[in-house]
Amino acid sequence: MALFQISEPGESPEPHTRRLAVGIDLGTTNSLVATIRNAVPECLPDSDGRAMLPSAVQYAEDGEIVVGGAALKHRGDDALNTITSVKRFMGRSVADLRDESAARYQFTTPSGDGKGQLKITTRQGAISPIEVSSEILKALKRRAEETLGGELYGAVITVPAYFDDAQRQATKDAAQLAGLNVLRLLNEPTAAAVAYGLDQKAEGTFLIYDLGGGTFDVSILRLTRGVFEVLATAGDTHLGGDDFDAVLAKYAFDTWALTRALSPAGQANLSAAARAAKETLSTETSATIKVNWGCGFDSSVDVSREKFVELSQPLVDKTLSAVKRTLRDAKLKANEIDGVVLVGGATRMPHVRAALESIFGKAPLATMNPDEVVALGAAIQADQLAGNKTGDGDSHLLLDVIPLSLGMETMGGLVEKIVPRNSTIPVAKAQEFTTFKDGQTAMALHVLQGERELASDCRSLARFELRGIPPMVAGAARIRVTFQVDADGLLSVAALETTSGVRAEVTVKPSYGLGDGEIASMLQSAYASASTDMQARALAEARVDATALVQAVTQALAEDRALLNDNEAAALTSQIAFLKQLAEGSDHRAIVRATEDLNRASTDFAGRRMDKAVKKALAGKTLDQIV
Ligand code: AMP
């Protein structure tokens, strides 16, 4: 995620032509919409004064679609038709799901192999996560247009930093379906940094600590010359404020020495009471967990803040381990972090803030509402992209970077990286490839995303073919492959054979995506396996060279065996067999040595073939004809 500032002189319209633009934080549990009013970013509340819209959609019996708090009420009694946490399913296939929250729904998949984008079976039919998200976005759009009194010009929508191509595309599709003009998809930690005005600084390194209701993310961003780069990221998609509620609920349950398991309604009552107590403990030194079980029967227990800290310390420690891991990954010490930004309601807990302060030696930035900071940053960005004049009159655009490298598979199952990770976008890069075999008229192109050296370790994004290459000797064709990534991180690839002008193109729209954890672990494994990867690359390269030489010498023997005596032919044949056998093994040094040996042994033979070819070319010609 990078912020790149481009001055746009003369682009800002006059104040009376101000366009209505919003920032939308499309969250797992809650979503928000914000805009700039009177030069200040602010979240827009609903008619009851609530800014947060629960990210819940119910496909009701009467054919109605209910969104937000009203839908959330039916999570218990109409579970299959009430969709929550749909963000976890965006751009995913059934085969990708490992999430227990998935167990609550019935899924279908269009392709039948579990690999296409999944759909959720409801009484109103099979609904895609894109459609569910679009209902949330429609509700926010309606709220914004009613509040602002006009049609929206456009919106910036935030996504987790490591959402991959498929997840970003799904988010953009949802917005388009909701009738929103997407000005830009913006990474969530980048948005938080923008809300605090960190993009206005000359440079710095910032840690964004995001503890929401059910998810935890930490990212380290470095700002240099106007570009924010992601140095490291970590997180836990199943750790959040809800887990803190659970430790308090367990404490109450144990204190009351309840002997029977609670009914779902009893459990919901206890969780709500625990959550209320937790939130009280952020400002008070003690709170009461009080549950009314009905029929005049209730229970209560007092909890001190000290007790709560003791009970929940293991959860805080878990987040701190992730923080330390990102510091290690980024090769930074805590004192090299210039600022810590808090995101997510659960960062209001004082012991979370104190723990961060003790690691970094300075208080985290906490002047903004942590629930709203991402939406506010997105609103600032939306205002600029809409061409509205900002307070300081300095209009600039922010550009992101791509989270994982994009490349092509080459011979031997290797990956040639074409757009490296963290490249600022939009970006277009081209590279030339050539044919491997004589007379090759088609070429299969395989587009990959990931940091590893081998294609099999990266994510396959798309395959396409370039056909109609004129037959040429191996290595003579010039195939120019261009990767273009637009401002939202979406990729299109084109291949052009430059001597003939034959073209093939594909817009990469993968059918499923990667989770943030998966991307983090792919990066992790890329770092961890750098040396194994180098060996794998060396082996694959050695095999490619060996195979090419074996093919060439075998072909030469078939054509010109007569130029060799029996001993010479037998020696070459046995060296070919030996090299073929080695190439099936994994000792790349032995393959390289045997390739060099065969190369040397066949040099004389190659010379004789050359003489023969020259003699044939010269036969019957006079000197005049040759010179
Ligand atoms: P979010 O997903 O950002 O809306 O985060 C919601 C989480 O923040 C829930 O677990 C809330 O209980 C928690 N939260 C909200 N306010 C407070 C507070 N004052 N103290 C502690 N946790 C809070």
Side-chain angles (χ1 to χ4, degrees), residues 29-30 52 211-214 240-242 245 275 278-280 282 344-349 370-371:
T29 12
N30 291 299
M52 283 205 272
L211 188 62
D242 300 350
D245 305 347
R275 177 174 171 150
K278 173 193 74 175
E279 293 179 6
T280 303
S282 289
T347 60
R348 289 197 182 89
M349 290 182 286
D371 285 317

Side-chain angles (χ1 to χ4, degrees), residues 1 24-28 87-88 90 92 157-165 167-169 171 185-191 210 215-219 221 230 233-235 237 374 400-403 488 514-517 519:
M1 112 182 32
I24 293 180
D25 173 1
L26 185 60
T28 308
K87 192 170 175 176
R88 296 188 198 272
M90 292 290 271
R92 311 303 295 266
I157 301 180
T158 59
V159 288
Y162 284 118
F163 249 27
D164 73 357
D165 213 68
Q167 292 164 303
R168 282 167 199 266
Q169 183 68 60
T171 307
L185 298 179
L186 184 65
N187 290 333
E188 287 161 8
T190 309
D210 180 350
T215 57
F216 170 63
D217 286 298
V218 53
S219 322
L221 309 183
V230 181
T233 183
T237 43
V374 166
D400 270 337
V401 299
I402 55 158
D488 299 312
L514 296 172
D516 48 355
I519 295 185

Side-chain angles (χ1 to χ4, degrees), residues 296-314:
F297 177 59
D298 53 38
S299 310
S300 74
V301 59
D302 289 339
V303 197
S304 67
R305 188 188 281 173
E306 245 179 338
K307 187 73 197 168
F308 175 49
V309 169
E310 178 198 317
L311 293 171
S312 61
Q313 198 56 43

Side-chain angles (χ1 to χ4, degrees), residues 102-121:
R104 296 213 332 266
Y105 306 110
Q106 287 166 356
F107 295 107
T108 51
T109 173
S111 57
D113 60 358
K115 287 201 165 170
Q117 285 223 12
L118 62 81
K119 287 195 169 194
I120 305 163
T121 310

Side-chain angles (χ1 to χ4, degrees), residues 355-370:
L356 289 168
E357 186 164 351
S358 80
I359 292 183
F360 294 101
K362 50 176 132 0
L365 297 171
T367 49
M368 300 186 83
N369 180 334

Side-chain angles (χ1 to χ4, degrees), residues 329-386:
D329 288 351
K331 300 192 174 53
L332 289 172
K333 295 198 183 60
N335 63 11
E336 291 173 283
I337 297 292
D338 299 306
V340 176
V341 175
L342 297 183
V343 179
T347 60
R348 289 197 182 89
M349 290 182 286
H351 62 307
V352 167
R353 294 182 178 192
L356 289 168
E357 186 164 351
S358 80
I359 292 183
F360 294 101
K362 50 176 132 0
L365 297 171
T367 49
M368 300 186 83
N369 180 334
D371 285 317
E372 298 185 348
V373 62
V374 166
L376 297 176
I380 295 172
Q381 172 71 355
D383 202 54
Q384 288 165 349
L385 288 170

Side-chain angles (χ1 to χ4, degrees), residues 7-24:
S7 288
E8 293 204 298
E11 277 274 300
S12 307
E14 293 308 306
H16 66 272
T17 62
R18 200 179 157 76
R19 292 158 166 167
L20 298 181
V22 293
I24 293 180

